[in-house]
């Protein structure tokens, strides 16, 4: 945020770098269930205008935030990594999503989780395996493995999760 205020970095530049990084590593890592890159860039432009206008930006204004697939976001697919819910669209925002959006965070992706977040590793029949970005021969723990892999691989600045120490 300080770099946005000082104009050393813009929300658009950060979002573009985040997206470029995701495009480069995501096929091998598999941290994301869904991506909203075009919409995220549009939101980053809006955030950039707020900083340029000299207003008082919100605490997360312009930061890319990945949301765990178990969290509902209005109008977005919310599968809980289950084939049963693969086409389910949320009709409300979970409290964490609501708080992230109110704080100006930009949801650019949803992260993978094991089915119903009930396994100690991140794998599901719907999404497959999420790999450790430091050694793709290994998978990642669960249930917030997609969030952890996203943060570790640089494809998000913040990510929601329900593991101890993993929540934003």
């Amino acid at each position: 945020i300080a770099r946005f205020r000082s104009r050393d970095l813009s929300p658009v530049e950060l979002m573009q770098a985040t997206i470029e990084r995701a495009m480069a590593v995501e096929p091998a890592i598999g941290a994301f269930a869904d991506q909203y890159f075009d919409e995220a860039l549009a939101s980053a432009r809006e955030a950039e205008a707020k900083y340029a206008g000299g207003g008082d930006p919100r605490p997360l204004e312009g930061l890319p935030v990945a949301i765990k697939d178990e969290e509902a976001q209005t109008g977005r697919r919310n599968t809980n990594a289950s084939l049963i819910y693969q086409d389910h669209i949320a009709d409300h925002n979970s409290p964490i999503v609501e708080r992230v959006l109110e704080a100006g965070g930009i949801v650019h992706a949803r992260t993978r989780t094991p089915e119903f977040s009930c396994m100690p590793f991140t794998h599901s029949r719907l999404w497959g395996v999420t790999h450790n970005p430091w050694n793709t021969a290994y998978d990642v723990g669960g249930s917030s493995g997609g969030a952890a892999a996203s943060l570790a691989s640089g494809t998000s600045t913040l990510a929601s999760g329900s593991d101890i120490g993993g929540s934003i």
Side-chain angles (χ1 to χ4, degrees):
I1 302 294
R3 292 191 64 198
F4 290 164
R5 288 184 179 166
S6 70
R7 308 281 194 291
D8 288 338
L9 179 69
S10 78
V12 172
E13 291 169 334
L14 177 59
M15 188 62 71
Q16 287 172 329
T18 300
I19 292 167
E20 287 172 15
R21 178 69 179 158
M23 302 283 272
V25 302
E26 186 55 22
I29 305 301
F32 293 156
D34 288 312
Q35 303 166 11
Y36 314 113
F37 295 159
D38 291 339
E39 292 173 32
L41 277 170
S43 295
R45 287 185 200 93
E46 291 173 14
E48 188 172 274
K50 288 181 183 178
Y51 284 102
D56 192 23
R58 298 169 289 181
L60 301 178
E61 196 75 60
L63 292 178
V65 181
I67 297 293
K68 187 175 178 178
D69 187 36
E70 75 176 352
E71 299 293 342
Q73 184 177 2
T74 304
R76 302 275 194 216
R77 189 162 58 150
N78 185 208
T79 71
N80 274 295
S82 175
L83 292 171
I84 297 168
Y85 294 114
Q86 67 184 340
D87 297 319
H88 175 74
I89 304 298
D91 62 1
H92 68 286
N93 287 333
S94 72
I96 194 162
V97 170
E98 194 65 38
R99 289 182 184 119
V100 164
L101 296 174
E102 286 174 1
I106 300 171
V107 177
H108 69 297
R110 294 180 63 78
T111 59
R112 293 182 185 181
T113 181
E115 189 169 14
F116 300 113
S117 299
C118 290
M119 296 298 288
F121 53 89
T122 302
H123 173 270
S124 72
R125 291 180 299 158
L126 182 60
W127 303 123
V129 175
T130 298
H131 296 279
N132 182 322
W134 295 348
N135 185 342
T136 56
Y138 294 94
D139 62 10
V140 293
S143 68
S144 299
S150 175
L151 291 170
S153 64
T155 61
S156 189
T157 57
L158 294 171
S160 70
S162 58
D163 298 337
I164 295 173
S167 297
I168 56 174

